[in-house]
Amino acid sequence: MKNIFKITVLLALMILSSCETYDPAEPDFSNSYPAYVELANTSVITVPEGGNIQVTLSSRTVIYESYTVSYEITGEYEASGTVLIDGGKSQETVVIPVEAGIVTDASLSATLTLTEVSGGIALGRNGNNLAVDVTITRFVPFVQDDYAIAFNCNEPGYGDYLVDFVATDVDHVLTNTNFWDSGWEIDYSFSADFDQKVIIDPQVQIYGDTPLTISGSGSYDGVTRTIVVDYTVVDDTGGVWDNNTHTFTVPD
C-alpha cells in the first residue's frame, strides 16, 4: 500500500508539472542604441596641402534614407562644410579637399570634427569617435628632373651605396641604374600626384643562369625627395631571394 501511495503522489506531481506554463522573458532594450553615425577610424591622418582628407563614416545599421553630415576643421587650418550620404549604406568614404599653398615650412596641425547630422540620427555612440587629428604637410609637385640625380641607397642587412636615377621618355618614370648594387637597371613609376606613390612593375634580370623578377611599391616625399620602396626578388619557381626595403636619400 505504501508503494501504491508513493506512485500515486509522483504521478500527481508529474501531471501538475506538465500543466505549468512559462512566460518568455521580455527582451531587454535598456542597452540598445538609436541609429548613429561616427568615424570608422580615428587614427591621425596625414595629407599634403592641395590633397584630400578621406574619412569613412560608419553607422550601426544600414540607414535607408539619405542624410547630411556637417563637419568643421579647427586648429592651424580651418574649414567647414557638409557631405550628403546616400541611403542604403552602413559605411561611406567621403573626400574633403584641403587648400593648396597653405604650408610654408612646418606641417600644420588641425582636427576634423563631426558637428551635426540630419534625419534624427545620433552623432556617435555615446558621443564617441567624432574627431580625428589631421597633419597637413607641404606639397611639392613631381618634376622628373628633380629625381634624375644620384641618391644614397640604404639596404638593411647590406649597407649604403650610391645609385643613379636617370630620366626616361615617360615623364613619370625613372630608371635606377644600380639596383641591388648590381648594376641592374630597374624602372620606377612615380604617381606624380598627391598620393606620392612609387611602383616597381615586375621586371626580369638574369643572375648567372637564373631569371629573377623584381617588383615593389612605396612612396616618395616631394619636399625632401626621399624615396622608400619595399621590394621583392623572386626566381622563376617562386623562391624569394630578397624581401627588403630601399630608402633613397639625397646625399649631403
Side-chain angles (χ1 to χ4, degrees), residues 55-73:
V55 294
T56 299
L57 303 183
S58 177
S59 55
R60 182 173 67 93
T61 58
V62 173
I63 299 175
Y64 291 97
E65 299 294 331
S66 298
Y67 61 96
T68 300
V69 178
S70 300
Y71 67 87
E72 65 177 3
I73 302 173

Side-chain angles (χ1 to χ4, degrees), residues 162-221:
L162 289 176
V163 304
D164 287 322
F165 273 69
V166 297
T168 69
D169 293 337
V170 181
D171 60 8
H172 64 277
V173 177
L174 290 103
T175 302
N176 173 359
T177 62
N178 190 27
F179 182 88
W180 230 22
D181 201 18
S182 64
W184 290 348
E185 296 188 350
I186 298 295
D187 289 341
Y188 291 62
S189 297
F190 293 73
S191 63
D193 57 17
F194 290 114
D195 291 336
Q196 299 187 118
K197 301 299 184 184
V198 181
I199 298 293
I200 301 177
D201 290 321
Q203 297 162 64
V204 176
Q205 295 288 338
I206 303 299
Y207 184 82
D209 295 328
T210 304
L212 298 177
T213 299
I214 296 96
S215 61
S217 63
S219 61
Y220 66 95
D221 181 342

Side-chain angles (χ1 to χ4, degrees), residues 133-148:
D133 291 332
V134 180
T135 299
I136 304 171
T137 60
R138 185 182 168 204
F139 177 73
V140 175
F142 176 82
V143 177
Q144 188 187 52
D145 287 346
D146 290 344
Y147 295 83

Side-chain angles (χ1 to χ4, degrees), residues 18 81 224 236:
S18 65
T224 64
D236 55 356

